[in-house]
């Protein structure tokens, strides 16, 4: 999925101008007091209410390159109470997710609004999320769900386990951290390329280089990203006021 930023940049232009933070990424422009106010003003200025499929389609056409079928699937995900319309807080959450995805700031958003992402995916009163619903959410936003399954295996979770908020957040962090900080080429890929380079070298070339058998020991070529969303988080109280759900 490719994000078309023109609409969000236009709406958030006042946010950038007022805060004097020209050059910041799209997520930071949107997820601040001015950005929230600008989006809320746009939302409330619409003549037709509430925000139904007929309003959601043109908005997502402006913001993404998704097909109409994919857009309607996304609408169904965020219309989790099956009311036929979406409230402003969920429209804003979706746009924040799109901006965070584009800005590689999804772990930051997860820290700020993890309970709200859980609310979108959970089974109502049960306060649990099925892996199927979590993967459906990820697929609708074009995230790679493989880290989700890998994390489930590592934690020993069965495929049919209903996840509480702590388990859900842990699995989502695996997905979002992989998106924000994609792993570098694997050790085997680099070693294979190195072997090809050595085997195609002439004897003269080899004399000028260290022998492959005498190369330095490789240590920690591939390291896990130690990304903690907490250290990236700024105080964004005004935005969090619109998310008033209580997750027990």
């Amino acid at each position: 999925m490719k994000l078309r930023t023109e609409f969000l940049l236009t709406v958030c232009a006042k946010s950038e101008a007022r805060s004097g933070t020209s050059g910041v990424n799209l997520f930071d422009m949107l997820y601040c007091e001015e950005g929230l106010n600008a989006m809320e003003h746009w939302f409330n200025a619409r003549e037709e209410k509430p925000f139904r499929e007929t309003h959601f389609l043109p908005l997502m056409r402006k913001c993404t390159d998704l097909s109409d079928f994919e857009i309607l699937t996304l609408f169904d995900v965020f219309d989790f109470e099956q009311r036929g319309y979406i409230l402003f807080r969920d429209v804003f959450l979706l746009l924040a997710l799109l901006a965070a995805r584009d800005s590689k700031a999804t772990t930051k958003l997860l820290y700020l609004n993890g309970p709200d992402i859980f609310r979108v995916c959970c089974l109502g009163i049960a306060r649990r999320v099925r892996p199927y619903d979590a993967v459906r959410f990820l697929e609708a936003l074009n995230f790679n769900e493989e880290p989700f399954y890998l994390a489930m295996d590592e934690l020993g979770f069965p495929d049919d386990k209903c996840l509480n908020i702590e388990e859900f957040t842990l699995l989502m962090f695996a997905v979002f951290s992989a998106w924000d900080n994609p792993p570098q080429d694997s050790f085997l890929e680099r070693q294979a390329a190195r072997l090809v380079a050595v085997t195609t070298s002439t004897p003269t070339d080899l004399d000028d280089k260290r022998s492959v058998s005498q190369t330095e020991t490789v240590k920690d070529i591939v390291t896990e990203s130690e990304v903690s969303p907490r250290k990236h988080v700024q105080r964004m109280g005004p935005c969090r006021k619109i998310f008033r759900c209580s997750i027990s």
Side-chain angles (χ1 to χ4, degrees), residues 166-212:
E166 291 81 11
E167 295 163 339
F168 173 82
T169 303
L170 186 62
L171 294 172
M172 283 296 173
F173 182 77
V175 175
F176 290 163
S177 61
W179 173 262
D180 291 348
N181 300 274
Q184 302 297 319
D185 294 338
S186 71
F187 170 76
L188 291 178
E189 288 174 340
R190 288 196 295 274
Q191 289 299 89
R194 185 178 181 182
L195 180 61
V196 169
V198 170
T199 55
T200 56
S201 300
T202 64
T204 303
D205 294 332
L206 290 177
D207 291 339
D208 296 332
K209 298 178 181 179
R210 296 181 183 180
S211 171
V212 177

Side-chain angles (χ1 to χ4, degrees), residues 81-110:
E81 293 183 347
Q82 299 182 345
R83 293 172 297 198
Y85 61 89
I86 301 177
L87 299 175
F88 171 71
R89 68 176 182 180
D90 296 319
V91 174
F92 185 81
L93 178 63
L94 171 57
L95 294 176
L97 274 162
L98 294 177
R101 186 181 184 278
D102 185 69
S103 303
K104 301 290 186 180
T106 54
T107 51
K108 185 176 180 178
L109 180 64
L110 179 65

Side-chain angles (χ1 to χ4, degrees), residues 22-81:
S22 179
V24 300
N25 64 43
L26 183 60
F27 174 73
D28 289 334
M29 286 178 59
L30 177 65
Y31 208 101
C32 64
E33 183 175 5
E34 292 84 1
L36 171 63
N37 291 339
M39 288 303 308
E40 195 166 20
H41 180 268
W42 163 81
F43 188 85
N44 292 331
R46 296 175 305 103
E47 294 182 359
E48 297 183 14
K49 299 178 178 61
F51 200 77
R52 301 185 183 277
E53 285 183 355
T54 52
H55 311 110
F56 190 79
L57 267 169
L59 173 63
M60 287 297 103
R61 286 171 182 161
K62 290 179 182 178
C63 295
T64 71
D65 61 353
L66 296 176
S67 67
D68 285 357
F69 176 79
E70 292 171 319
I71 290 173
L72 293 177
T73 299
L74 192 57
F75 179 87
D76 290 339
V77 168
F78 279 80
D79 182 24
F80 52 92
E81 293 183 347

Side-chain angles (χ1 to χ4, degrees), residues 101 138-139 141-148 174-176 178-179:
R101 186 181 184 278
L138 293 170
E139 288 178 340
L141 288 163
N142 277 206
F143 282 104
N144 179 14
E145 68 273 15
E146 183 178 357
F148 184 91
V175 175
F176 290 163
W179 173 262

